[in-house]
Amino acid sequence: MEKFVYMFSEGKASMRNLLGGKGANLAEMTGLGLPVPRGFTVSTEACMRYYQDGETISTAIEDEIFQTLEKAERIIGKKFGDVDDPLLVSVRSGARASMPGMMDTILNLGLNDTVVQGLAKLTDNERFAYDSYRRFIAMFSDVVMEVPKDKFEAVLDEVKEETGASLDTDLDANAMKEVVRRFKKLYEDIKGIPFPQEPREQLIEAIKAVFRSWNNERAIIYRRMNDIPASWGTAVNVQEMVYGNMGETSGTGVAFTRNPSTGEKKLYGEFLMNAQGEDVVAGIRTPQTIDHLNDVMPDVYEQFCQIADKLEQHYKDMQDMEFTIERGRLFMLQTRNGKRTAAAAMKIAVDLVAEGMNTKKEALLKIDPKQLDALLHPTFEPKALKSAASIARGLPASPGAAGGQVYFNAKDAAEAAVRGEKVILVRLETSPEDIEGMNASQGILTGRGGMTSHAAVVARGMGKCCVSGCSELMINEKGRFFTTKDGQRINEGDFLSLDGTTGSVYSGLLPTTDASLSGDFATIMAWADEERKLKIRTNADTARDAAKAVELGAEGIGLCRTEHMFFEKDRIFAFRQMIVAENEAKRRAALEKILPMQRDDFVSLFEVMRGMPVTIRLLDPPLHEFLPQADQEIKELAQELDLSFEALRDIIFSLHEINPMMGHRGCRLAVTYPEIAEMQTRAIIEAAIAVNHNGMSVIPEIMVPLICDAAELRFVKSIITKTADEIIKEAGVDLTYTVGTMIEIPRAALTADEIAEAAEVFSFGTNDLTQMTYGLSRDDAGRILDTYYSRKIFESDPTARLDLAGVGKLMRIATDLGRQARPHIKLGICGEHGGDPASITFCHELGFDYVSCSPFRVPIARLAAAQAALADDTHLGQK
Amino acid sequence: MEKFVYMFSEGKASMRNLLGGKGANLAEMTGLGLPVPRGFTVSTEACMRYYQDGETISTAIEDEIFQTLEKAERIIGKKFGDVDDPLLVSVRSGARASMPGMMDTILNLGLNDTVVQGLAKLTDNERFAYDSYRRFIAMFSDVVMEVPKDKFEAVLDEVKEETGASLDTDLDANAMKEVVRRFKKLYEDIKGIPFPQEPREQLIEAIKAVFRSWNNERAIIYRRMNDIPASWGTAVNVQEMVYGNMGETSGTGVAFTRNPSTGEKKLYGEFLMNAQGEDVVAGIRTPQTIDHLNDVMPDVYEQFCQIADKLEQHYKDMQDMEFTIERGRLFMLQTRNGKRTAAAAMKIAVDLVAEGMNTKKEALLKIDPKQLDALLHPTFEPKALKSAASIARGLPASPGAAGGQVYFNAKDAAEAAVRGEKVILVRLETSPEDIEGMNASQGILTGRGGMTSHAAVVARGMGKCCVSGCSELMINEKGRFFTTKDGQRINEGDFLSLDGTTGSVYSGLLPTTDASLSGDFATIMAWADEERKLKIRTNADTARDAAKAVELGAEGIGLCRTEHMFFEKDRIFAFRQMIVAENEAKRRAALEKILPMQRDDFVSLFEVMRGMPVTIRLLDPPLHEFLPQADQEIKELAQELDLSFEALRDIIFSLHEINPMMGHRGCRLAVTYPEIAEMQTRAIIEAAIAVNHNGMSVIPEIMVPLICDAAELRFVKSIITKTADEIIKEAGVDLTYTVGTMIEIPRAALTADEIAEAAEVFSFGTNDLTQMTYGLSRDDAGRILDTYYSRKIFESDPTARLDLAGVGKLMRIATDLGRQARPHIKLGICGEHGGDPASITFCHELGFDYVSCSPFRVPIARLAAAQAALADDTHLGQK
């Protein structure tokens, strides 16, 4: 028979998936002989069964719960509902992953009208008994029966007013009895039935409520933000109550074995005497720091210090503990690996290795790669953040904190920056035309587009803060203002602050703290580099970005998008001449002008990369992105180009596409205008020859985008090799170069065997591949995704988190087929997922050669790649 | 050793893939003992080897050619280059599939300055010898050495003028010698070397030229139009020359065993005495009908009739034969199954079965399903077509012929039709707004969009002629005119004719012939129905279309696109109210108005279909398609809707998407606005109940579009079943309905196992699936495809011909996964490919339950499905 309920004495820490984190650690502490109030855990599998059974608990599981309860009663020596010595319990959720405050808790369960009298007698404390009862009624009603908490608070306030009490603690036993009476009446008025008096009924209803809470809105949002699957479910812990509010020898507190902000090795925490956990949270009285416990109850402090030490040694990690002292006796209510800042994580990891508690490998596995972001970008000062009110929230598209004056178009932003202003660029959406303005801004805010919209991708590449897809704002670019959903209006020139790590938008200018990298960071990165198998490259389009990435540990460029180079002022004109040219000869003439500039770009890039591999992608975006859309700008450009306004407008109109993402772009440009690919190849090869002449040894990798058919690649490759081989021959030098292809269209993945015959490298462009596999345009997904989250259809944005079931399946098909045709084909990823730890693990599993990500994600990728490699060992060990 | 060259006596008809059609049939006739000039065939494999070897003939193959030549010389008793009795040969291409006139031919090869003298002596006809030589020089120079034909014609004209000759036949032997002299000089002047005198060199160069001609432009276009793969290659036939121009007992002709226009059983053909094949083609003298041969040479006629009969009996099909009579002796130069009109194909098939020559199954396999189109649509009168000049050519998007006055927007077109004009609607591209105007028109011409653009799909559904993607026209919708690439201007109101079967556009009004279906057609269809395993359904949105489809044999509706219903005048307003509603309550109020109309639509549809299955797809297109885009129309609508112009414009702007194909459409509408899906479900179920009340038994199939994830389908399905089950319960009736999903997004195919758990039917929407698998938008593909054809990257339009390598692979994955989860899941196809014979074969192979296509393609699908089923038997037989 399946087992769904476990006594704490039956579990252990490794049973976390089944018992949840809290339950597993309670079991582990019980096993270690630590003072843990006794109880049992209803497993996560029972939770999933509850949902499978249409949100009911089966009779079998209910029976098992009561059988285990009886076992607990025998051990504890108290009975549920016993008037003389009643067993009272807490009922708490506990999922596999820590989800602090996300789910519901019920205390003092087991109380009823008669038991409360027994409790009063037993504790010789009538006020305590009725205080406990009224807390139970309110919690149970709120959590289990959905009677709003504030209704009970209103009743409590009434009684306080009537009795002239200002604090809850001013209420005496009689007042508490009155509160209980009125609470029960309130319950009955709303629910139409009396408050349940049967403890077993209370218990089952409470367990159901915890199961239900797994799917409440804040749990869903938290899961989405933290990539926790809905299928995990939560366990429920039923535990004997202990009371920190039984007088001055009772108390409750929380503590960390090390400082979670700095990592300093010193017990860190606070406690409050004569209080329950919720009182600490309520913040009415100010708790004392943990070391003062030594003054109040030195024996208990000593015992706690020993336990803390034992737990840290046992778990080999910094612990976050909750405890209660009941009448001088210490009880441990929880321990878990403590959350910590990125800086603390670095220090603790290095210290634990130095102390011999962890090996380097163990230390590496304990750091969350995503946390590193915080080390690399400025953040708002925590104090300032406390008093600031967020006026809107969008997607956390590119981390960091920034403030400045608002401008609504790239030109104005750039001009304001020249005047010395700090600028926040606000746009409905950005396009490649906006690059200069984005570059001039401190941060970017857009009304549309997801985590991989143009704004998001470019901002991450620049290491610039960006909040995207803030659809609740009404942005009026022409009118140069936006309004929030509360009607607040922000005009051009007003100050605004953006938190790209959380997606929050603040009005006014919040002070920021700069990023700083400690020596511990370098130590951790060095350890990571020893372990990882994947090479880490970067997506960089400029020498500056490339230099930053190299500083952060990049070992090559996995994606240089050449189109960004065309937007710079000195070359956009020649590029536009090329686009409007009515024949090949004129097009070639315009390309001639661009050639030396593009060659110089590559020279600088190669010089920065000093012989490391550099993958350069041929022109990708549709040509219309390079032309203006507004009449006034068209007029100006027409004059410059010596065309009539109508003629230029017609050209622009003729380039218009209904679905540009699936239109005339990528290698399709090279097929229709081979001269562009020729020019780019020439620039790459000539730059490589020039740089190698100066003593380097660059091996350029030319990457053909948007291939959907092998014949297409063969055609473009023939242009590249013909051009390159001629130049190399003329120069009389030895130069090796490779030609690879992006795999970013589903059909390329499905026919990867044919394609691999012409491609030396596959670089998975998972941005486009995800969009096409889902049939979902990242630029249009914003509104849709919001609904999909709220309807529980999607748990996360597929353009931000690699979809293994669909896109991952295609990647596996392509990898297998590609290797069939070319066993040692080089494999990499250059989509945004290249910087996502879970995706990096997947790439490691597929045996990729490298991942490529934006410069600021390189450290994250280094660590994630190391963790993926270490996971292999772990799996090996488990087999 | 591999064999690349075959004597005619070594081959047979079944070796067509290796020897080409012409070569295989020459071999077969040789084997039958018929009088065939002797020779040999260089195989299609030699052609492919020629391309693999970088367009050279390897020494091994060259040796084999000469060895076979020597064998032929021994049998014939003449030698190449022998002055006394020279062997002269023709060199002709011959591919697997007949490609009439697509590739090149050289006659009289083997002649040189000395051999010509021998030939003169041998034939005692100097003029004949030099005439042959000059023809050879011109042909060889043109075909092999790319010296343009017209230069030789100019020289010939010179000599004619100098000698006062008006016809070629007026030139005497001396004049011919002079022509030869000047031809040779012309050759040497242009090529810089003398005309080759070595017959073996002539032969090898000629064979190479035929191989090259496989990839000339007209061959490529022909292959694309007829779905012939480039990888087939062509064979080359080298055959002893026989001469029809050796005087009055010589001649040449062509004949069919039955009339290729009507199918009548009577020898049909023509001949010309004292002439070569090219003279017949040149049309200077008028040939006589074949029965007159009986008057001229009764013995030869008698022999020919016997041969014709023998060949028809042998091939069991109507034959198309070429013959030459040399000095009273009959030679057969070619036989093949004759091309015939659709009407003739029907009659011949039925007659051949009646005559006992074919079984029904054999007859079915001999009809090209695509030909049936011509039976179902009007065509231009052939006479009128001969004298009409096409002014432009687009894609043959929907077959038929139509003419009328040109209008440039749907409203004007509809108004003109009300006035009684016949209308041709000309648009850059059409959108759902244009439906009424399209319906009012005789034919539609668009400047953009491919074979599956909106215009094409809707026109095919309506059975209306359409030419799409005519990108060579400059269409000025505002100015109400277009200009052709030759500068011809067509204004509003001018007459225009369209041939949707060929893609040709004509100015003026050409007379048309109406379609008529013979009894033979019904016979063939009945035979097809006996054989096929696939059910044939139709894509129909209106009762009228559905009725037409049922008349043509449809067994159900595979796709009813509900959105088209919303465009009708009486409901578009309510639908627009729904779109602009600022909250759910207003949206529901607007939907309430639409409900009865939609219900009536379904009632009519169900009534027409009389209990046959009807699949109704929920709303699919993005909402912005239902709103106007032009300021004036927005103003008008704003007034009607009681909104300010700005407010409506803002709503329209907010609905704008960058890539609408991958945006807020399909089931994403049902997720964001469940009330729309509810209303549609209600309309469907209430209609079914009403109709069943009248004694029918409809089982509606509700189809959810654009699913990319199983959770999405579960959500939408729950809306459908909740609504439907409530209505059914309230009505107190028994009604069965099914819920299925479109598989039209790659991810749906890749996760089809999960999706099948919630779907009772998979309907493959191969239009969208192809676009997303290729990352190519059908609306933007026009320009790209042209280049891709000319660069030989694509051989056909993937949206018109199902791509087995990519899209087909996804379909197979989805089919396999779907059956894993639900073994008897119903499978169908409703994309445009559902009417394409090759795709139907594929669906048959995958074991689909049905294919669904536009009404006018139903007969094609019936025949193609029968052929696919028969192919199973054939495979069985061959194993």
Side-chain angles (χ1 to χ4, degrees), chain A residues 542-562:
Chain A
T542 63
R544 198 185 55 182
D545 290 351
K548 184 75 203 170
V550 169
E551 189 191 320
L552 293 171
E555 298 163 296
I557 291 180
L559 176 64
C560 166
R561 305 175 199 84
T562 49

Side-chain angles (χ1 to χ4, degrees), chain A residues 10 183 197 213 337 367 384 493 616 679 716 722 749 764-765 849 858:
Chain A
E10 293 177 311
F183 273 19
Q197 293 292 316
S213 73
N337 295 338
I367 304 168
I616 296 168
M679 183 280 286
V716 180
K722 186 165 172 292
F764 287 87
D849 295 281
V858 166

Side-chain angles (χ1 to χ4, degrees), chain A residues 433-447:
Chain A
E433 278 189 83
D434 297 329
I435 292 274
E436 279 208 82
M438 294 171 79
N439 201 19
S441 305
Q442 304 298 309
I444 296 127
L445 169 64
T446 68

Side-chain angles (χ1 to χ4, degrees), chain A residues 276-478:
Chain A
Q276 272 198 320
E278 48 178 341
D279 300 324
V280 182
V281 177
I284 298 164
R285 286 187 288 153
T286 305
Q288 292 180 283
T289 56
I290 191 76
D291 46 341
H292 283 96
L293 187 58
N294 198 18
D295 308 332
V296 184
M297 304 183 86
D299 291 351
V300 171
Y301 180 69
E302 177 60 26
Q303 187 192 359
F304 182 72
C305 287
Q306 279 169 10
I307 289 175
D309 209 41
K310 188 169 184 175
L311 284 173
E312 191 179 88
Q313 291 285 344
H314 182 74
Y315 283 101
K316 297 183 175 182
D317 200 355
M318 185 262 262
Q319 293 300 296
D320 166 5
M321 302 157 294
E322 289 178 21
F323 62 93
T324 283
I325 307 164
E326 185 184 278
R327 294 174 172 170
R329 199 170 150 208
L330 176 67
F331 290 96
M332 297 302 294
L333 296 186
Q334 165 145 313
T335 191
R336 58 185 173 195
N337 295 338
K339 292 208 185 280
R340 64 207 76 177
T341 64
M346 297 291 117
K347 178 165 168 51
I348 291 171
V350 172
D351 287 353
L352 288 180
V353 172
E355 293 163 25
M357 210 182 295
N358 277 348
T359 63
K360 289 179 193 174
K361 293 181 184 190
E362 286 168 338
L364 282 174
L365 283 170
K366 282 175 184 161
I367 304 168
D368 179 359
K370 285 187 206 153
Q371 253 195 325
L372 298 185
D373 244 351
L375 292 178
L376 303 170
H377 297 281
T379 47
F380 287 124
E381 285 181 12
K383 270 185 203 165
L385 217 46
K386 263 187 188 162
S387 58
S390 153
I391 59 169
R393 192 165 183 136
L395 299 171
S398 178
Q405 286 173 269
V406 170
Y407 288 91
F408 289 89
N409 69 60
K411 204 174 149 202
D412 292 349
E415 285 171 8
V418 169
R419 287 197 301 273
E421 292 179 22
K422 294 205 162 188
V423 170
I424 298 291
L425 177 64
V426 180
R427 302 280 294 158
L428 270 172
E429 59 214 354
T430 62
S431 71
E433 278 189 83
D434 297 329
I435 292 274
E436 279 208 82
M438 294 171 79
N439 201 19
S441 305
Q442 304 298 309
I444 296 127
L445 169 64
T446 68
R448 295 188 188 147
M451 294 291 289
T452 52
S453 61
H454 178 265
V457 172
V458 172
R460 281 198 292 273
M462 291 177 170
K464 222 171 259 291
C465 151
C466 173
V467 173
S468 73
C470 195
S471 55
E472 61 187 68
L473 298 181
M474 289 292 290
I475 298 177
N476 188 324
E477 289 178 348
K478 275 201 184 155

Side-chain angles (χ1 to χ4, degrees), chain A residues 704 707 741-745 748-749 752 755 762-766 769 814:
Chain A
V704 184
I707 286 292
T741 182
M742 305 282 292
I743 301 289
E744 56 186 339
I745 287 188
I755 289 174
F762 279 177
S763 177
F764 287 87
T766 49
L769 189 59

Side-chain angles (χ1 to χ4, degrees), chain B residues 35-84:
Chain B
V36 175
R38 287 151 296 187
F40 57 88
T41 304
V42 186
S43 74
T44 54
E45 283 174 3
C47 176
M48 292 331 291
R49 193 60 68 96
Y50 165 82
Y51 281 105
Q52 284 160 25
D53 293 345
E55 310 208 358
T56 56
I57 293 181
S58 70
T59 321
I61 294 179
E62 198 172 306
D63 287 351
E64 198 184 339
I65 290 171
F66 288 130
Q67 281 157 20
T68 316
L69 174 66
E70 282 160 23
K71 207 187 284 179
E73 284 174 334
R74 278 195 300 276
I75 293 168
I76 298 168
K78 297 182 181 183
K79 281 182 87 85
F80 229 40
D82 183 346
V83 179
D84 292 334

Side-chain angles (χ1 to χ4, degrees), chain A residues 35 114-115 222 224 254 267 335 352 358 413 430 482 487 568 573 588 617 641 656 661 734 755 812 827 857:
Chain A
T114 53
V115 170
Y222 187 90
R224 187 165 71 238
V254 295
L267 207 55
T335 191
L352 288 180
N358 277 348
T430 62
F482 68 77
E568 291 188 26
F573 182 68
R588 285 192 180 273
R617 182 178 73 183
L641 287 168
H656 168 79
M661 143 114 333
D734 253 355
I755 289 174
R812 198 180 287 278
L827 300 170
R857 294 193 77 86

Side-chain angles (χ1 to χ4, degrees), chain A residues 712 747 750 788 803 809, chain B residues 712 747 750 788 803 809:
Chain A
E712 205 177 23
R747 194 173 187 278
L750 292 162
Y788 271 53
D803 156 52
K809 194 179 275 185
Chain B
E712 204 178 24
R747 194 173 187 278
L750 292 162
Y788 271 52
D803 156 52
K809 195 179 274 185

